[in-house]
Amino acid sequence: MSIGRVNPKFQLSDQGIEGLGEAYYNMLEPDLIAHALRRGEGELGKGGSFLVSTGEFTGRSPKDKFVVRTADAEDTIWWENNPPLEVAGFDALYADMLEHMKGREYFVQDLFAGADPALRLDVRMVTELAWHSLFIRTMLRRPERAELDGFEPEFTVINCPSFKADPARHGCRTETVIAMNFEKKLILIAGTEYAGENKKCVFSLLNYILPEKGVMPMHCSANHAQGNPVDAAVFFGLSGTGKTTLSADPNRVLLGDDEHGWSDRGTYNFEGGCYAKTISLSPEAEPEIYATTEMFGTVIENMVYDPETKDLDFEDDSLTANMRCAYPLHYISNASENGLAGHPKNIIMLTCDAFGVLPPIARLSPAQAMYHFLSGFTSKVAGTERGVTEPQPTFSTCFGAPFMPRRPEVYGNLLREKIAAHGATCWLVNTGWTGGAYGTGSRMPIRATRGLLTAALDGSLNNATFRKDENFGFQVPVTVPGVDGALLDPRGTWGDPAAYDAQAALLVEMFAENFAQYVPHIDEDVKAVAIG
């Protein structure tokens, strides 16, 4: 039976899914919340938000994500970064999941991945949990009523947390699995209730499809100047580096906080919502994001709250440091209505440096930009992935290695070509530690970071006096109005300059060791950056 706001042209039975107890198609937020409450999936929070715990898994499971080794994927996948799953294992997994699903309720959302109508992907999300349906409806782009009548899914995602994979039978690692089959246009997720797997599998899918269309998929937030979408900026960075916070500038229009494409026509958002970390969120520092936590339909994930008043505790990370809220983009007052902007004038690469070595901002040459993009240096912050309890220095190529099916040079070359074609200025911004490494120093003041970004985006920073950094060779401003000049010289913020020098030498060595894997695949000017 099909119950929902639209009787779709393509039923689940057309995709081999049969024998379900009920299939609820394209329900809107009120009904999804009602079903989630009926099923005991969570509680109603203030303002009609939905409070939920994801149980055992409070972050992504990157080691349990696989690409099916089909003939068409064999020569295009970066296999060192994407563990293969054999076709027979996937087929067995699919058959067993379909059998497990019989007699159960499922929720179907037909959604767009991409704001550009010419480049968007039509995705069908089939979820066992009603609140997962609410989550993905919030995070992807919602078609108009008329667009649903003839909706034909190009890819289908099936998420069944109650199904446990069998490593011996299915060829996976544990009972948790995310299996991507590009040939069958099908993604299977099992054994985890963490909602972020839903959106990140779609991002991985776009990262595979779009490069062949000349589109650069980017793990970034983006905004543009008020009244001037041509003046766009993108902010690359892994979770915890500040993509959401720093792009939510009240003086600029927010395009999106996490995933975008850069095509020949400009920049566009893949999503229709935001997935913001809420630990230490305050109405003073981030009033608009804070306000969404008491708005109708916002998904509040893994937060401690008062059982009677439903007041949220933004400081209690006993469930996880990766507590989050998911809300539609239009809940932010300065959000873009169409998710489209021009070519980026400024490219910001955000890093959370737990070593306390990097300056708060540096200007990069095109070759340096590719070097730092391929390096993707940052620190994984607590809670984002299972097992991460304190910042861990890491290199995640393209600032998003877990979501990159193709080799890094594919994305690096695309970025470089687009920078050259459109003349973007590139900046490296450290939102990590100053005055010492993690455990000794302190986090970079967000007010200083905002001041530096404002100067970069309005063009005034280009008029500053710069010095050449002795460790990495990029240009660092000497003084910036409104910013404490002491922060601009990281060595001077350390109590022991010799300790800084030793830490800097260690970081430079780590960069060199990591980048050695890319040297056979890059041009001479980027090699020159790599070898100093």
Side-chain angles (χ1 to χ4, degrees):
M1 181 183 294
S2 299
I3 302 174
R5 144 175 104 105
V6 144
N7 186 23
K9 178 181 178 183
F10 288 85
Q11 299 286 323
L12 290 179
S13 58
D14 298 327
Q15 298 168 288
I17 304 173
E18 296 180 321
L20 301 183
E22 298 286 2
Y24 300 95
Y25 285 89
N26 296 311
M27 282 190 160
L28 301 184
E29 291 79 1
D31 283 338
L32 289 171
I33 291 175
H35 278 287
L37 290 171
R38 171 182 63 83
R39 292 160 53 91
E41 295 177 3
E43 293 192 68
L44 198 64
K46 283 190 169 182
S49 62
F50 191 71
L51 310 174
V52 65
S53 168
T54 62
E56 179 184 359
F57 301 122
T58 58
R60 290 182 293 102
S61 301
K63 294 180 181 179
D64 293 310
K65 181 179 175 183
F66 299 85
V67 173
V68 180
R69 193 189 286 275
T70 55
D72 60 340
E74 183 64 43
D75 297 328
T76 58
I77 300 298
W78 181 23
W79 292 113
E80 294 88 346
N81 187 61
N82 296 271
L85 188 68
E86 298 307 320
V87 171
F90 179 86
D91 290 346
L93 175 66
Y94 187 33
D96 292 347
M97 281 185 68
L98 292 181
E99 187 63 30
H100 177 85
M101 292 167 67
K102 289 181 178 178
R104 299 170 185 262
E105 293 181 330
Y106 275 80
F107 298 83
V108 182
Q109 290 288 328
D110 293 328
L111 301 163
F112 297 142
D116 188 334
L119 293 166
R120 73 189 182 203
L121 187 71
D122 295 350
V123 179
R124 168 164 286 179
M125 305 291 301
V126 182
T127 64
E128 180 181 17
L129 297 175
W131 82 265
H132 272 194
S133 195
L134 172 65
F135 172 88
I136 201 61
R137 177 173 173 78
T138 299
M139 292 310 307
L140 293 185
R141 301 191 70 85
R142 299 161 288 280
E144 297 294 332
R145 169 67 169 78
E147 293 175 305
L148 286 171
D149 290 330
F151 189 96
E152 182 177 352
E154 298 172 70
F155 273 80
T156 298
V157 180
I158 302 175
N159 190 328
C160 184
S162 67
F163 181 83
K164 306 300 182 185
D166 180 349
R169 175 171 166 77
H170 303 133
C172 50
R173 192 181 71 97
T174 68
E175 292 182 337
T176 299
V177 65
I178 302 97
M180 308 186 69
N181 191 322
F182 297 125
E183 184 176 87
K184 289 192 172 181
K185 298 187 175 182
L186 182 63
I187 300 172
L188 305 178
I189 304 174
T192 172
E193 294 185 26
Y194 181 65
E197 301 289 10
N198 293 291
K199 84 182 214 84
K200 286 307 185 186
C201 76
V202 175
F203 184 42
S204 299
L205 177 58
L206 293 170
N207 278 324
Y208 182 71
I209 292 172
L210 291 177
E212 291 186 345
K213 299 180 179 182
V215 178
M216 173 65 188
M218 302 180 292
H219 188 210
C220 70
S221 56
N223 61 28
H224 66 74
Q226 293 279 4
N228 184 15
V230 174
D231 184 3
V234 299
F235 302 74
F236 285 103
L238 290 173
S239 295
T241 56
K243 293 195 312 302
T244 300
T245 299
L246 296 172
S247 58
D249 184 336
N251 298 312
R252 294 175 67 85
V253 175
L254 177 67
L255 207 63
D257 80 326
D258 196 37
E259 302 169 6
H260 295 80
W262 186 356
S263 73
D264 291 340
R265 290 186 294 279
T267 314
Y268 68 100
N269 192 359
F270 289 163
E271 299 185 303
C274 297
Y275 192 33
K277 296 192 76 167
T278 55
I279 188 168
S280 299
L281 188 67
S282 73
E284 294 77 25
E286 298 169 282
E288 291 215 89
I289 297 176
Y290 185 90
T292 69
T293 63
E294 295 185 4
M295 291 185 177
F296 182 78
T298 294
V299 176
I300 306 295
E301 193 178 66
N302 295 321
M303 289 193 70
V304 174
Y305 57 89
D306 187 290
E308 294 184 3
T309 66
K310 302 302 187 286
D311 288 334
L312 302 172
D313 190 332
F314 292 88
E315 302 303 325
D316 189 338
D317 62 355
S318 58
L319 292 178
T320 177
N322 195 35
M323 57 180 78
R324 290 180 180 265
C325 64
Y327 52 89
L329 195 61
H330 64 260
Y331 279 5
I332 302 298
S333 63
N334 64 328
S336 168
E337 293 184 1
N338 62 12
L340 303 172
H343 299 288
K345 288 181 63 177
N346 288 279
I347 294 174
I348 316 297
M349 297 184 186
L350 299 170
T351 180
C352 175
D353 174 21
F355 283 87
V357 168
L358 296 176
I361 196 167
R363 187 171 60 191
L364 307 176
S365 70
Q368 289 170 337
M370 186 169 180
Y371 176 79
H372 284 278
F373 181 70
L374 289 177
S375 296
F377 170 71
T378 190
S379 301
K380 292 180 182 177
V381 296
T384 302
E385 292 182 7
R386 289 157 51 193
V388 178
T389 58
E390 63 181 43
Q392 295 179 1
T394 188
F395 291 88
S396 184
T397 189
C398 308
F399 295 100
F403 324 118
M404 302 296 171
R406 298 179 183 270
R407 277 206 58 86
E409 298 82 17
V410 173
Y411 308 104
N413 286 328
L414 262 174
L415 180 66
R416 187 177 185 185
E417 290 166 8
K418 292 190 177 297
I419 289 173
H422 304 288
T425 302
C426 299
W427 307 89
L428 183 70
V429 172
N430 175 25
T431 61
W433 273 257
T434 183
Y438 170 77
T440 302
S442 58
R443 283 299 293 262
M444 194 72 66
I446 190 170
R447 178 176 293 183
T449 302
R450 286 195 182 278
L452 291 167
L453 283 174
T454 297
L457 298 180
D458 68 19
S460 62
L461 190 55
N462 284 316
N463 300 321
T465 300
F466 288 80
R467 64 175 177 84
K468 183 178 180 179
D469 183 81
E470 294 182 357
N471 298 303
F472 290 95
F474 41 51
Q475 299 293 308
V476 180
V478 176
T479 59
V480 177
V483 177
D484 183 358
L487 290 173
L488 298 172
D489 177 15
R491 187 175 188 268
T493 65
W494 283 52
D496 182 355
Y500 170 87
D501 292 339
Q503 190 84 311
L506 176 61
L507 184 58
V508 169
E509 183 179 352
M510 289 177 63
F511 263 85
E513 290 178 355
N514 172 74
F515 203 81
Q517 63 185 302
Y518 307 121
V519 170
H521 308 280
I522 58 175
D523 294 339
E524 293 301 320
D525 56 344
V526 183
K527 288 181 183 178
V529 174
I531 63 176

